[in-house]
Amino acid sequence: MFERPAPPPFVIAAFYHFFDFPQFESLRQSLLDRLLELGIKGSILITSEGVNSTIAGTREAIDSFMAYLQADVVGGTVRWKESQAQFQPFGKARVRLKKETISLGEPVSMKRFGQYVAPQDWNDLIRGEDVVIIDTRNDYEVNLGTFAGAIDPKIPNFKHIPQWTRDNLDALQGKRVATFCTGGIRCEKYTSWLIDNGIEDVYHLQGGILQYLEDVPREQSLWQGECFVFDERIAVDHDLQPSKTAVLCKHCDHALTPDDQVSPDYVEGVACPHCHGDPKYAHDTVPAAGKYPGRTKF
């Protein structure tokens, strides 16, 4: 008799939620205690503007924690994105205090956001001739995959995107601006920053790339490549399965495609095509106005 295989033992839940959270510091220990009690590992960032997290545990543990988070912390509905794994992708449980839920490095009102676009409607939007599509992720993420026609700002860190935008403001005027990221948090905050800075016809992919890959059939998909994720899987394919090819450079942490790995500049554990010849390679310096090295005109 045919028996269905048992479901994978670990549920990975990724979520963020913007809300007024003035008491966030006082709840750090309670959140950590609940993770430890349920045997959940992963990271939760808490700030005065909300929460940002990816955690993994059993089905029962994740359901219990999310019920607690919604009822006792947020006081409302929190949407999360799930995937599954045969192994625990995180080493420990952490709850960290931060100044920003996702660091943009500049003031953002967080009062107005761009229009959500459901994954099923995303293709129609980004095919528009008056649409500029901006990938808000870091360069090492974009290297593994992106949407057809998307602009890669070549930013090594999310904090670089305001300056890149200022360098390219003229090209955004009069356009509809469609933004996307892995799970939705970066592009949502970016749309608030754009509105604050006078670009109001803005949109963002609801649920991010991961939701798109889940909802849009491969034969209809405009996604090209794999999607970088911030855990031991490194990336997932269009079926949300762990990548079989992606690796990280041990020098600069850049995600590497199979083509990168056969480059003469790739020496395992030493350097890759993205940092070869630069022993001080780093991703954390925010450029001054007019000195943006990864500037991309379009």
Side-chain angles (χ1 to χ4, degrees):
M1 183 176 178
F2 176 77
E3 294 184 4
R4 290 185 177 181
F10 292 102
V11 175
I12 302 168
F15 59 91
Y16 71 91
H17 190 74
F18 291 118
F19 69 107
D20 290 330
F21 194 12
Q23 76 279 27
F24 73 100
E25 292 181 271
S26 65
L27 287 182
R28 176 186 176 276
Q29 191 60 49
S30 295
L31 284 163
L32 180 59
D33 289 344
R34 186 59 62 98
L35 292 178
L36 295 173
E37 174 187 325
L38 294 170
I40 293 173
K41 296 182 180 180
S43 180
I44 300 178
L45 309 182
I46 55 175
T47 77
S48 62
E49 64 184 22
V51 297
N52 180 18
S53 175
T54 304
I55 54 177
T58 64
R59 170 81 274 162
E60 294 78 10
I62 293 297
D63 288 346
S64 177
F65 182 81
M66 296 307 298
Y68 156 74
L69 182 75
Q70 293 177 96
D72 297 345
V73 179
V74 175
T77 300
V78 175
R79 300 183 183 277
W80 67 94
K81 177 71 185 69
E82 288 189 0
S83 56
Q84 296 180 327
Q86 296 287 350
F87 59 92
Q88 171 58 264
F90 303 109
K92 61 187 297 186
R94 297 186 296 177
V95 179
R96 296 188 288 174
L97 305 178
K98 290 286 187 177
K99 292 181 179 179
E100 298 180 77
T101 306
I102 183 71
S103 296
L104 189 62
E106 297 192 9
V108 184
S109 67
M110 305 298 290
K111 300 299 182 184
R112 297 173 61 201
F113 300 94
Q115 300 178 51
Y116 280 125
V117 181
Q120 297 87 346
D121 300 324
W122 181 250
N123 288 357
D124 288 340
L125 173 66
I126 66 175
R127 286 187 175 117
E129 294 184 0
D130 62 337
V131 175
V132 172
I133 316 159
I134 301 177
D135 192 329
T136 65
R137 299 173 302 148
N138 303 333
D139 54 3
Y140 56 88
E141 300 173 74
V142 181
N143 189 54
L144 292 183
T146 191
F147 281 105
I151 298 297
D152 174 12
K154 301 186 186 301
I155 54 171
N157 187 289
F158 189 50
K159 291 181 181 179
H160 290 65
I161 205 164
Q163 186 57 49
W164 176 87
T165 306
R166 284 188 284 266
D167 286 346
N168 292 278
L169 265 181
D170 289 346
L172 301 181
Q173 299 294 342
K175 300 286 188 178
R176 290 186 291 164
V177 180
T179 71
F180 66 92
C181 59
T182 308
I185 186 170
R186 279 177 281 187
C187 52
E188 183 161 347
K189 189 164 189 176
Y190 180 48
T191 63
S192 185
W193 184 91
L194 285 170
I195 292 169
D196 287 350
N197 286 271
I199 306 295
E200 299 213 0
D201 198 2
V202 294
Y203 306 80
H204 52 109
L205 176 58
Q206 188 170 23
I209 300 162
L210 295 177
Q211 193 65 56
Y212 179 92
L213 297 181
E214 180 172 326
D215 292 351
V216 177
R218 182 188 289 268
E219 60 271 17
Q220 298 174 17
S221 177
L222 297 180
W223 176 259
Q224 301 173 334
E226 296 186 321
C227 179
F228 182 91
V229 290
F230 290 90
D231 59 49
E232 292 182 7
R233 295 172 296 171
I234 302 178
V236 294
D237 62 21
H238 204 290
D239 299 317
L240 298 175
Q241 296 302 305
S243 172
K244 294 181 173 62
T245 60
V247 300
L248 295 181
C249 172
K250 293 182 180 179
H251 178 51
C252 70
D253 284 333
H254 205 289
L256 305 179
T257 65
D259 286 345
D260 291 328
Q261 295 169 52
V262 298
S263 166
D265 292 332
Y266 177 59
V267 180
E268 185 176 358
V270 177
C272 75
H274 305 279
C275 65
H276 178 74
D278 185 1
K280 296 182 179 180
Y281 190 85
H283 277 81
D284 299 325
T285 303
V286 178
K291 296 182 179 179
Y292 186 70
R295 182 170 170 171
T296 302
K297 286 292 186 182
F298 51 95

